[in-house]
Amino acid sequence: MQITIIGTGYVGIVAAVCLAKLGHNVTAMDRESVIQSLQSNKAHVWEPGLQELLTECNEEGNLHFDADMASATANADALLIAVGTPTRADGHTDLSQIENVLEQLKQSGNCPPLVIVKSTVPVGTCDELEANLHGAGLRADVVFNPEFLRQGSAINDFMYPDRIVFGCQSRHSEIMLRQIYQGIDAPIQVCDRRSAELIKYASNTFLAMKISFANMMADLCEGYGADIRQVMKGVGTDRRIGPHFLQAGVGYGGSCFSKDLQSLLTSGKVIGRSLPLLEATAQINDQRIPQLVVKLISLWENPNGKRLGVLGISFKPNTNDVRDAPFLTLLKLCQHHRIDVHAYDPVVQQVAFEGVTVADSPYEMAAHSDAIILMTEWPQFVELDWVRMVQLMRQSILLDGRNVLSDEVVAQLMELDGVTYVPVGRPVEQSVEQRVY
Ligand SMILES: NC(=O)c1ccc[n+]([C@@H]2O[C@H](COP(=O)([O-])OP(=O)(O)OC[C@H]3O[C@@H](n4cnc5c(N)ncnc54)[C@H](O)[C@@H]3O)[C@@H](O)[C@H]2O)c1
Ligand SMILES: O=c1ccn([C@@H]2O[C@H](COP(=O)(O)OP(=O)(O)O[C@H]3O[C@H](CO)[C@@H](O)[C@H](O)[C@H]3O)[C@@H](O)[C@H]2O)c(=O)[nH]1
């Protein structure tokens, strides 16, 4: 099938290479600068396996890039929209990128018979988009086909999903969607468009709610001297609950959870429904970094001029994406308290915001610091020589924001003088001999 993809952000480029690998003839469209980079075989987003797959597709010849809507859509059987849908300041979803795509389509005069919306959009949007196209005399079927991939494991998630959802109103569009995904072995749920639109929001907000639940329980564990890892293990082994997304820590970040939660709250408000579970989920998450900073400051007499080492800038491992990363909230609070931030990240080497020095190695970051916060659970952080890290520091305070240091490493550190280890949802550990500063 000839498929044109509009938008080559995380979702668009992953969909493009995967659909090309599944044997479709794919044209991906974006801004000129992005298209130039892709045409010269350079992936513009950092995602494990993406560059390799892009190179393969370019060699195999069934993936093309084009910055012009008219030529990109000529002869297309289906158009897949994967542009951004950020949240506006008033809490509503900004649909302007999708609206622009529709305008460009109308001007180009080429509208494929099937328009697949993959961008996450509020309930009712696809009905409106279809009415808009029909109003302009373009007889396309608009379907909603939510994407559930996670950054860091995006290609695997696209190729081996738990389910594929088709929100479509006609048998013909369902048949076309089945052809597009016929190389993927996953259960397919076919439903109306509005339900499909809500499935995407309900999934993301439910996952966010699980994380906030774990974080709420972590606070209780700290108060009562229990261990959140044990509590969540015991909870998650109940098959009705499941072990995933119960990892307490610095809170969720990324471009989706907060945005989609906000959008769903607004959808509720529009029809006069409050969604208190989601309000609590957001509140708990918003408090994670401020609480962590309070903990940190309580360990110093005065935060002014202290040096903080931060391990991990991106919102999760295996991505360089810093959108809505907890690190950004941390940085803002540190600036407020005049704490000097030195950060290290395996893939984020430059940051577009002020007030942070990015180190070339974790050891360089640790040198002369008055505390370290582990923000992102990159496997290589767990494997660091933590004794060396601590010996390089001016004051040996470790805040393990993801609870990833092993009990063995912590026990080893406790044999050194003056080490304070502050995990999440567990008692603080201090070596017997505390240094006096
Ligand atoms: N990032 C994820 O992990 C993820 C997962 C599932 C769903 N989603 C949803 O998918 C959508 C896209 O997310 P993303 O993270 O890939 O977005 P993104 O912001 O990374 O990428 C969007 C791309 O669309 C391009 N674009 C915008 N308008 C365009 C136009 N008129 N013509 C051509 N290109 C245009 C932009 O230049 C950009 O490259 C969002 O609705 C998001 O909520 C994202
Ligand atoms: O137990 C957990 C699991 C995750 N997180 C955090 O939650 C955030 C989101 O993580 P994850 O869901 O793995 O990454 P995303 O790439 O944001 O993926 C989510 O958002 C996408 C965009 O909508 C969806 O497609 C995915 O299904 C959904 O998992 C990150 O900051 C994680 O550190 C935790 O704090 N504890």
Side-chain angles (χ1 to χ4, degrees):
M1 201 179 280
Q2 178 88 38
I3 304 168
T4 298
I5 297 182
I6 312 294
T8 59
Y10 282 86
V11 171
I13 189 61
V14 168
V17 294
C18 290
L19 291 174
K21 278 314 267 185
L22 289 171
H24 299 293
N25 207 347
V26 177
T27 300
M29 190 216 152
D30 208 306
R31 285 175 281 125
E32 186 71 48
S33 58
V34 175
I35 291 305
Q36 275 176 9
S37 159
L38 290 166
Q39 277 171 336
S40 55
N41 192 33
K42 193 167 178 298
H44 58 303
V45 296
W46 196 93
E47 177 67 35
L50 178 63
Q51 181 61 58
E52 292 79 355
L53 221 46
L54 179 67
T55 306
E56 274 179 38
C57 290
N58 279 332
E59 282 165 8
E60 286 160 9
N62 57 341
L63 176 58
H64 310 273
F65 300 102
D66 198 329
D68 176 67
M69 182 66 89
S71 52
T73 49
N75 309 318
D77 299 306
L79 182 85
L80 187 149
I81 301 178
V83 297
T85 49
T87 313
R88 292 194 321 225
D90 64 2
H92 286 267
T93 299
D94 177 357
L95 293 172
S96 59
Q97 293 185 33
I98 295 198
E99 286 156 7
N100 286 341
V101 172
L102 253 57
E103 285 315 308
Q104 287 172 282
L105 258 186
K106 287 181 201 167
Q107 280 166 19
S108 77
N110 298 333
C111 186
L114 184 69
V115 173
I116 305 166
V117 177
K118 229 185 206 319
S119 302
T120 303
V121 290
V123 56
T125 303
C126 288
D127 288 358
E128 285 168 20
L129 296 179
E130 192 174 85
N132 183 328
L133 286 175
H134 290 185
L138 301 172
R139 301 302 307 170
D141 273 359
V142 175
V143 299
F144 184 63
N145 169 221
E147 181 49 59
F148 300 104
L149 64 80
R150 293 159 299 169
Q151 290 176 217
S153 54
I155 289 159
N156 198 62
D157 290 348
F158 192 97
M159 291 302 223
Y160 305 96
D162 289 345
R163 77 301 207 188
I164 300 174
V165 174
F166 299 158
C168 59
Q169 318 285 92
S170 78
R171 180 80 188 127
H172 177 66
S173 49
E174 181 191 331
I175 291 169
M176 284 185 78
L177 282 164
R178 284 187 186 276
Q179 280 171 8
I180 291 173
Y181 285 103
Q182 71 185 353
I184 295 180
D185 181 19
I188 290 177
Q189 178 179 351
V190 184
C191 60
D192 62 283
R193 283 190 297 231
R194 286 178 180 246
S195 303
E197 287 164 334
L198 275 178
I199 285 171
K200 175 64 194 172
Y201 283 102
S203 301
N204 268 5
T205 54
F206 190 81
L207 291 169
M209 195 175 71
K210 280 185 93 174
I211 298 168
S212 279
F213 180 83
N215 284 329
M216 176 190 78
M217 291 304 296
D219 286 348
L220 211 56
C221 286
E222 281 173 26
Y224 280 99
D227 184 339
I228 188 67
R229 297 172 306 176
Q230 295 300 336
V231 174
M232 285 303 129
K233 185 177 173 193
V235 169
T237 39
D238 184 328
R239 273 179 294 172
R240 293 169 302 173
I241 297 172
H244 306 292
F245 280 70
L246 292 177
Q247 203 69 48
V250 298
Y252 58 77
S255 65
C256 292
F257 281 178
S258 285
K259 159 178 94 69
D260 292 349
L261 195 144
Q262 189 52 53
S263 176
L264 197 54
L265 280 172
T266 303
S267 295
K269 257 190 214 136
V270 166
I271 58 161
R273 301 290 160 98
S274 67
L275 306 173
L277 279 176
L278 301 192
E279 278 161 14
T281 298
Q283 274 165 17
I284 291 167
N285 200 60
D286 289 347
Q287 282 313 305
R288 296 311 288 168
I289 295 294
Q291 278 175 220
L292 195 72
V293 171
V294 168
K295 255 189 219 172
L296 174 65
I297 289 175
S298 72
L299 294 165
W300 289 330
E301 259 174 34
N302 179 359
N304 195 341
K306 290 277 198 248
R307 179 163 163 175
L308 176 67
V310 183
L311 280 174
I313 295 175
S314 60
F315 79 101
K316 64 180 283 193
N318 289 316
T319 179
N320 64 354
D321 198 344
V322 295
R323 288 181 288 180
D324 224 346
F327 171 80
L328 299 179
T329 313
L330 176 69
L331 184 60
K332 213 189 260 176
L333 287 174
C334 286
Q335 283 171 345
H336 174 77
H337 291 289
R338 298 183 190 286
I339 299 167
D340 182 21
V341 175
H342 289 241
Y344 171 78
D345 188 285
V347 290
V348 182
Q349 259 105 42
Q350 278 179 330
V351 283
F353 17 85
E354 291 183 359
V356 53
T357 306
V358 181
D360 288 333
S361 81
Y363 301 105
E364 181 188 312
M365 181 217 73
H368 312 295
S369 59
D370 296 292
I372 288 178
I373 297 189
L374 191 152
M375 292 288 284
T376 316
E377 66 279 31
W378 281 91
Q380 50 267 59
F381 292 167
V382 181
E383 302 301 324
L384 287 172
D385 179 348
W386 278 98
V387 170
R388 181 176 165 208
M389 290 283 281
V390 159
Q391 284 168 343
L392 287 165
M393 295 171 75
R394 196 156 52 194
Q395 202 174 339
S396 308
I397 298 173
L398 300 180
L399 283 89
D400 185 353
R402 299 285 182 175
N403 270 346
V404 286
L405 289 203
S406 68
D407 291 346
E408 292 71 30
V409 167
V410 175
Q412 208 182 356
L413 294 179
M414 287 308 120
E415 284 170 17
L416 307 174
D417 283 350
V419 179
T420 302
Y421 174 71
V422 187
V424 175
R426 291 186 281 148
V428 170
E429 297 205 35
Q430 289 186 310
S431 27
V432 181
E433 291 259 349
Q434 286 295 314
R435 286 182 203 154
V436 180
Y437 295 96

